[in-house]
Amino acid sequence: MKKTLICITLALVMTLPVGVGIAYIPGVAEWFASGSGYEFFTPLFKALDSHGSETNSDIIFGTLYTVSFILSLMLAAILLAIVNRWRRTHRH
C-alpha cells in the first residue's frame, strides 16, 4: 500500500513536466498545424459530442495529460523497482 501511494504521488508530480515534454516533442506542433492532429482526434470528438474549438482543445489537453500521467506512472514504477533492487543489493 505504501509503495503504491508513493508511486501514484510521484506520478502526479511528474505528470505536468512529462505533459509539457510531450507537447514540445519536435513535430507535434506541425502535426496539429497541418490538420492531421485534429483528424486523429475526430473519433474522440464525435464520441464526446464536441461541437467547438474550445471543447476540442479541452479534449486534446485532457488526452495529453492522461497519456502523460500513464507514462509518469510507468516511469515511477520503474524508478521504484530500480531503487528497491539497489537497496536490496546494498544491504549490509
Side-chain angles (χ1 to χ4, degrees), residues 7-8 10-25 60-76:
C7 196
I8 290 173
L10 187 58
L12 286 172
V13 169
M14 292 179 3
T15 296
L16 188 60
V18 170
V20 170
I22 291 171
Y24 282 106
I25 292 175
I60 291 170
F61 284 118
T63 304
L64 170 73
Y65 287 114
T66 301
V67 169
S68 67
F69 175 73
I70 292 168
L71 285 173
S72 297
L73 192 59
M74 290 189 303
L75 289 171

Side-chain angles (χ1 to χ4, degrees), residues 85-92:
R85 178 172 280 220
W86 182 81
R87 289 176 75 192
R88 275 186 297 190
T89 58
H90 288 83
R91 284 188 185 165
H92 291 34

Side-chain angles (χ1 to χ4, degrees), residues 18-41:
V18 170
V20 170
I22 291 171
Y24 282 106
I25 292 175
V28 171
E30 292 83 10
W31 183 54
F32 279 106
S34 71
S36 299
Y38 288 101
E39 289 177 19
F40 176 80
F41 283 100

